[in-house]
Amino acid sequence: MAHGYESGRLDLPFVGISTFGKRPYQPDWDQLEADVAIIGAPFDFGTQWRSGARFGPRAVREASTLFSFGHAGAYDHEDDATYLPGSVRIVDMGDADIVHTDTETSHANIETAIRAALKAGALPVTIGGDHSINIPAIRAFDDQGEFHVLQIDAHLDFVDERHGVRHGHGNPMRRAAEQPYVTGLTQVGIRNVSSTAKEGYEDARKMGSDILSVRQARTLGPDGVAQRIPTGARVYVTLDIDAFCPSIAPGTGTPSHGGFLYYEVLELLQQVAQNHDIIGIDLVEVAPDYDHSGSTAILAAQVLLNTLGFIFHARGFR
Ligand SMILES: [Mn+2]
């Protein structure tokens, strides 16, 4: 007779269907029972240079299977903590439906998915897609009370309007700052020649933004950056994969050299998870076809799963 822990399926990471973390798939959004709801937003019509982020959700889901080992959570010896025990219910909602050429309908479908996650009491985690998917994500929070936005990104994304375009991937932080329930933004990793002109930076500061480059963030350290977020604020995190250095994250549409390394972002997110209630996350701009090593998608999956571990560890799931 096999011992109990040797019975049933082994289900190694490369076996089976690639839901996020190999967690259950729930296509019926009225039946969600979850602490975390994973939503794919495979939309990239907002890009101004290389497209391809529409394949981000699939790539990140497949990469995430690498971290699906075990049924008893992930033990971290440095923190002496077991993250994401089985009691944290992560459910994959699948993807919002996307209608080619139709930004508004596609964004509305993304908003619907995130509203369903919130209605179920789950933490919405949206995998893009280009950064414009943050616009419907923030809209979906219009009945959730006030919160602060932490953006980790190479670009300020604060363009108001250009040739009539207000909902592209250069606009989301401007659209977020306009919402009365967004109390301010911390924009970290901003560097190099950006899509946003000088006036955009001035507007952002006037509208409540604290803007830090990679070098400024490095001088402050992760704890120093985290301390600049207002005490007691609930925080929505939007993470653009191009915040990372292209040497570790080349799979994105607009790479910008001089970006963050893994622990710089991870330690910031760990600190924010300890200090604040994180109420929603999106991770955007993974365009896997520019990185045949798959490393960018693995980085995205690793950051997401670790951040979820920190959030629920802080919430008492041990
Ligand atoms: Mn961005």
Side-chain angles (χ1 to χ4, degrees), residues 131 151 153 155 157 169 240 242 284-285:
H131 215 153
Q151 175 207 17
D153 197 328
H155 312 94
D157 295 349
H169 77 161
D240 189 322
D242 68 28
V284 298
E285 300 283 358

Side-chain angles (χ1 to χ4, degrees), residues 20-21 38 56-57 59-69 74-76 78 83-84 90 125 127 239 241 244 248-249 261-263 265-267 269-270 281 283 286 293-311:
F20 185 80
I38 306 293
V60 175
R61 282 191 176 103
E62 182 169 358
S64 73
T65 62
L66 170 58
F67 309 108
S68 67
F69 279 109
Y75 178 69
D76 184 309
E78 280 185 295
Y83 291 113
L84 293 179
I90 301 176
V125 176
I127 305 171
L239 174 56
I241 202 74
F244 288 99
I248 62 165
L261 296 179
Y262 175 64
Y263 279 118
V265 170
L266 199 70
E267 289 174 16
L269 290 170
Q270 185 167 22
I281 300 172
L283 186 148
V286 173
S293 77
S295 197
T296 309
I298 291 171
L299 173 67
Q302 197 155 8
V303 169
L304 279 180
L305 278 161
N306 278 290
T307 302
L308 290 172
F310 300 146
I311 292 169

Side-chain angles (χ1 to χ4, degrees), residues 38-309:
I38 306 293
I39 299 154
F43 173 92
D44 65 7
F45 326 150
T47 55
Q48 294 167 288
W49 202 41
R50 305 195 297 194
S51 57
R54 67 182 62 182
F55 296 108
R58 281 199 181 164
V60 175
R61 282 191 176 103
E62 182 169 358
S64 73
T65 62
L66 170 58
F67 309 108
S68 67
F69 279 109
H71 306 287
Y75 178 69
D76 184 309
H77 78 94
E78 280 185 295
D79 294 351
D80 189 23
T82 298
Y83 291 113
L84 293 179
S87 54
V88 180
R89 301 165 302 167
I90 301 176
V91 172
D92 195 325
M93 293 170 60
D95 292 342
D97 197 33
I98 300 302
V99 180
H100 59 302
T101 78
D102 190 339
T103 294
E104 297 314 315
T105 300
S106 301
H107 278 182
N109 290 343
I110 294 164
E111 183 179 334
T112 297
I114 297 168
R115 283 188 190 279
L118 288 169
K119 193 176 169 208
L123 174 75
V125 176
T126 309
I127 305 171
D130 69 48
H131 215 153
S132 75
I133 66 96
N134 173 265
I135 296 170
I138 296 294
R139 277 186 199 142
F141 278 79
D142 66 356
D143 56 357
Q144 300 291 314
E146 294 187 339
F147 58 91
H148 186 89
V149 173
L150 169 62
Q151 175 207 17
I152 306 174
D153 197 328
H155 312 94
L156 199 69
D157 295 349
F158 217 85
V159 176
D160 183 14
E161 179 171 341
R162 208 174 270 155
H163 283 244
V165 176
R166 295 170 56 79
H167 299 147
H169 77 161
N171 308 103
M173 295 303 105
R174 180 73 168 232
R175 298 288 88 83
E178 289 170 349
Q179 302 296 342
Y181 48 90
V182 172
T183 53
L185 292 84
T186 301
Q187 303 186 261
V188 187
I190 316 303
R191 62 187 184 272
N192 293 331
V193 174
S194 172
S195 58
T196 304
K198 185 181 180 190
E199 303 77 55
Y201 283 78
E202 292 162 358
D203 291 348
R205 291 196 176 95
K206 267 185 238 154
M207 293 169 81
S209 280
D210 183 23
I211 302 168
L212 294 171
S213 71
V214 169
R215 288 186 286 189
Q216 289 167 331
R218 217 162 252 164
T219 301
L220 289 165
D223 293 0
V225 174
Q227 280 166 23
R228 292 169 74 110
I229 298 172
T231 306
R234 299 156 73 235
V235 175
Y236 182 96
V237 176
T238 181
L239 174 56
D240 189 322
I241 202 74
D242 68 28
F244 288 99
C245 186
S247 62
I248 62 165
T252 192
T254 54
S256 182
H257 277 278
F260 287 122
L261 296 179
Y262 175 64
Y263 279 118
E264 294 174 304
V265 170
L266 199 70
E267 289 174 16
L268 170 59
L269 290 170
Q270 185 167 22
Q271 199 62 46
V272 174
Q274 284 168 10
N275 297 353
H276 297 271
D277 185 14
I278 294 180
I279 60 168
I281 300 172
D282 62 59
L283 186 148
V284 298
E285 300 283 358
V286 173
D289 288 344
Y290 303 113
D291 176 8
H292 289 185
S293 77
S295 197
T296 309
I298 291 171
L299 173 67
Q302 197 155 8
V303 169
L304 279 180
L305 278 161
N306 278 290
T307 302
L308 290 172

Side-chain angles (χ1 to χ4, degrees), residues 1-9:
M1 282 289 285
H3 293 287
Y5 61 85
E6 289 176 340
S7 64
R9 292 176 61 98

